Amino acid sequence: MSFSSDEVNFLVYRYLQESGFSHSAYTFGIESHISQSNINGALVPPAALLSILQKGLQYTEAEISIGEDGTEQRLGESLSLIDAVMPEVVANRQNMQNQQKQATKTEPPETNGTTEEPTAPPPATTTAASTTPAPVETMEVDQSIEIPASKATVLRGHESEVFICAWNPSTDLLASGSGDSTARIWDMSDNPANPNQLVLRHCIQKGGTEVPSNKDVTSLDWNCDGTLLATGSYDGYARIWRTDGLLASTLGQHKGPIFALKWNKRGNYILSAGVDKTTIIWDAATGQCTQQFSFHSAPALDVDWQSNQSFASCSTDQCIHVCKLGVDKPIKSFQGHTNEVNAIKWDPQGQLLASCSDDMTLKIWSMKQDTCVHDLQAHSKEIYTIKWSPTGTGTQNPNMNLILASASFDSTVRLWDVERGVCIHTLTKHTEPVYSVAFSPDGKFLASGSFDKCVHIWSTQSGQLVHSYKGTGGIFEVCWNSRGSKVGASASDGSVFVLDLRKL
């Protein structure tokens, strides 16, 4: 048995990626020269590091519990991972096990000639057990809420984690982006049981030929009429694709991975954010860089358009800048977060900007003032993403209140009344970090996806769980189609699935 430092480094790199530490993974990948190793990442299953650690832990427990004579005595208390790597702890546990074995051997036999029978429960308990079914441990929601597998379409094809997915705004095409260096377009309109898939291979020029980039596709976004798909990759390039899968243009200006990209509403510009600390506005028609903004002092993590020519960006430098095409400095800067800012989103009218951070806070900003309008502190771990509801003044649902949803590594989702600055619902059914939330087009429902493999669908008015589906991998992204009839989700095991809510 042997293993190399390259193999260990690769497993650590993948663990960081799968756990959502994308920026740490990038830095570690650079320093450990992951790209120069000959390991085919597509063949390494998700959670590989955790799997081998678990096996090592089980082996250590077996070493302690199995004696020299081959007999096994169960451990009274399981080892923790830290215990297992501490020789003195392992030695102490072995001594305890040996002493227990000796005590067992020297115990005098029973002298009354009878064997003690387990005490039967009283009749009342037996009756209750027969009328009340025992709760199923894996079922966290009512039977009527659970979406059966027969009502979900699982899409297989990706060979690695699927980090992102997005519905076309005008048709039932679902796009997905993966660590296998491809994006895919799935046609869910004609034959949902066996949908056609287009594979968008992200290649780079090497020695005069095109070769797979072997880099993650980190972001994707459809233009407003659904005719073009933009993708961003760890290979440093943004790309524009047609709906037939053909590459329309390659946008090359960033020096390093792209973390986010967005079309503006008009569809003439694409905005991107990169590890090179810059944001870029691209001319979608020509593929040329229109303007590059270099105001952050660390990697830019997210961007969001305020209008067709102005946008906000956030960074690991804890700052938020609002910039405008043609202006060579930020038109507004917001400071107040005490850790990296993971995501930013303008409300539907472009008046208020929400931001979330590793400092566990959610902040609301206005162009009319320098300090935040609200500093919302309720989550107990990092907040990974936020979404505004498509409701309120200026939306298609003007009679419903505007709501902000936040998803956190504390395994909860919170719904906020931003006008009052209060949390109106805390959604607590998830058991692992929540990576994604998405409102239905009518604003009545919220989908959430977590690394507990579950997609939950909630009523935004009551905060009640309406539907739930458990997939086969940790959920990175959830999204609704434009009619609000289907929810798409992408997962860590390479699967993408679609829940057709019309059937329920």
Side-chain angles (χ1 to χ4, degrees):
M1 181 185 74
S2 66
F3 56 85
S4 67
S5 60
D6 279 353
E7 291 172 319
V8 175
N9 288 341
F10 185 83
L11 292 181
V12 172
Y13 171 73
R14 281 287 291 272
Y15 167 76
L16 291 171
Q17 275 191 324
E18 291 167 1
S19 300
F21 305 120
S22 54
H23 318 118
S24 302
Y26 169 73
T27 303
F28 182 78
I30 295 295
E31 292 182 348
S32 58
H33 305 292
I34 290 293
S35 61
Q36 295 175 21
S37 74
N38 58 2
I39 299 168
N40 184 351
L43 301 179
V44 179
L49 179 62
L50 296 181
S51 177
I52 199 70
L53 286 173
Q54 187 176 36
K55 288 177 182 176
L57 188 57
Q58 289 170 337
Y59 179 82
T60 306
E61 286 190 343
E63 272 190 320
I64 296 172
S65 59
I66 297 175
E68 293 179 1
D69 58 357
T71 60
E72 180 183 359
Q73 182 163 333
R74 286 190 170 279
L75 289 177
E77 185 182 346
S78 294
L79 280 178
S80 73
L81 194 58
I82 297 300
D83 285 344
V85 297
M86 299 174 70
E88 63 275 14
V89 173
V90 173
N92 287 339
R93 294 291 282 274
Q94 281 177 322
N95 290 335
M96 287 170 58
Q97 290 294 102
N98 290 335
Q99 289 168 10
Q100 288 174 4
K101 286 176 187 174
Q102 290 301 320
T104 303
K105 287 177 183 176
T106 57
E107 274 181 9
E110 293 286 345
T111 55
N112 60 8
T114 60
T115 304
E116 187 176 347
E117 294 290 339
T119 305
T125 307
T126 308
T127 306
S130 64
T131 56
T132 307
V136 182
E137 283 188 6
T138 55
M139 188 76 73
E140 293 229 345
V141 295
D142 296 337
Q143 187 69 37
S144 60
I145 290 174
E146 201 73 25
I147 299 173
S150 60
K151 295 184 178 180
T153 304
V154 181
L155 309 172
R156 298 283 181 184
H158 281 297
E159 297 170 357
S160 187
E161 312 96 326
V162 189
F163 298 114
I164 192 162
C165 59
W167 287 99
N168 184 295
S170 55
T171 64
D172 264 358
L173 296 177
L174 180 66
S176 57
S178 168
D180 64 6
S181 75
T182 74
R184 292 172 196 242
I185 298 176
W186 312 83
D187 188 347
M188 301 303 299
S189 57
D190 296 332
N191 183 13
N194 188 25
N196 178 45
Q197 65 168 301
L198 296 173
V199 182
L200 315 181
R201 301 192 185 281
H202 288 55
C203 297
I204 54 174
Q205 292 288 332
K206 207 169 188 178
T209 59
E210 281 199 341
V211 297
S213 71
N214 292 326
K215 302 291 185 182
D216 302 346
V217 177
T218 56
S219 46
L220 47 80
D221 193 35
W222 293 96
N223 67 343
C224 54
D225 61 5
T227 56
L228 296 170
L229 176 71
T231 61
S233 168
Y234 253 60
D235 65 13
Y237 291 96
R239 295 170 175 84
I240 302 175
W241 308 81
R242 296 186 345 202
T243 54
D244 60 4
L246 290 179
L247 180 63
S249 55
T250 301
L251 320 178
Q253 181 82 15
H254 279 293
K255 293 179 171 60
I258 293 171
F259 289 143
L261 90 169
K262 303 268 175 64
W263 289 88
N264 67 348
K265 284 182 181 175
R266 192 180 297 161
N268 58 330
Y269 291 126
I270 294 172
L271 175 63
S272 60
V275 75
D276 61 6
K277 311 175 189 177
T278 74
T279 54
I280 295 176
I281 291 180
W282 307 86
D283 185 315
T286 65
Q288 298 300 306
C289 169
T290 302
Q291 187 172 349
Q292 188 164 18
F293 303 83
S294 306
F295 306 131
H296 287 294
S297 59
L301 302 183
D302 196 18
V303 284
D304 198 39
W305 289 99
Q306 180 190 27
S307 67
N308 280 308
Q309 295 198 329
S310 61
F311 69 93
S313 62
C314 65
S315 164
T316 60
D317 67 8
Q318 307 174 15
C319 294
I320 299 166
H321 296 307
V322 182
C323 303
K324 190 172 184 178
L325 185 63
V327 180
D328 61 3
K329 61 181 180 180
I331 58 175
K332 192 81 172 175
S333 292
F334 297 121
Q335 293 184 328
H337 282 295
T338 57
N339 207 326
E340 63 183 60
V341 185
N342 292 317
I344 46 171
K345 294 287 183 296
W346 289 100
D347 76 354
Q349 290 197 91
Q351 300 295 313
L352 297 175
L353 179 69
S355 61
C356 65
S357 167
D358 279 1
D359 67 12
M360 302 184 288
T361 73
L362 180 67
K363 299 186 193 297
I364 310 296
W365 312 86
S366 167
M367 293 295 285
K368 298 175 182 176
Q369 62 186 69
D370 294 332
T371 55
C372 64
V373 178
H374 293 298
D375 185 4
L376 306 176
Q377 302 183 27
H379 285 292
S380 59
K381 287 189 178 178
E382 298 92 332
I383 307 174
Y384 190 72
T385 192
I386 44 177
K387 290 283 171 63
W388 291 96
S389 62
T391 55
T393 308
T395 71
Q396 293 182 339
N397 312 294
N399 297 322
M400 296 175 65
N401 290 334
L402 181 63
I403 297 173
L404 183 67
S406 56
S408 170
F409 281 10
D410 67 10
S411 305
T412 71
V413 175
R414 287 179 178 266
L415 299 182
W416 305 84
D417 179 328
V418 175
E419 190 174 334
R420 293 185 293 146
V422 296
C423 178
I424 51 178
H425 295 298
T426 303
L427 315 179
T428 59
K429 293 286 186 182
H430 285 299
T431 58
E432 294 287 340
V434 185
Y435 278 86
S436 181
V437 285
F439 283 94
S440 61
D442 62 8
K444 292 179 180 178
F445 301 101
L446 180 82
S448 61
S450 162
F451 242 55
D452 63 9
K453 305 180 183 177
C454 289
V455 171
H456 292 329
I457 297 170
W458 315 80
S459 163
T460 56
Q461 299 302 306
S462 68
Q464 293 298 305
L465 188 61
V466 180
H467 298 301
S468 181
Y469 176 80
K470 187 162 189 176
T472 53
I475 309 298
F476 278 118
E477 186 83 15
V478 291
C479 56
W480 293 80
N481 68 345
S482 59
R483 294 191 305 282
S485 58
K486 296 175 184 175
V487 170
S490 59
S492 61
D493 67 343
S495 65
V496 179
F497 58 86
V498 174
L499 307 175
D500 190 342
L501 303 181
R502 295 173 304 177
K503 300 175 184 177
L504 299 175

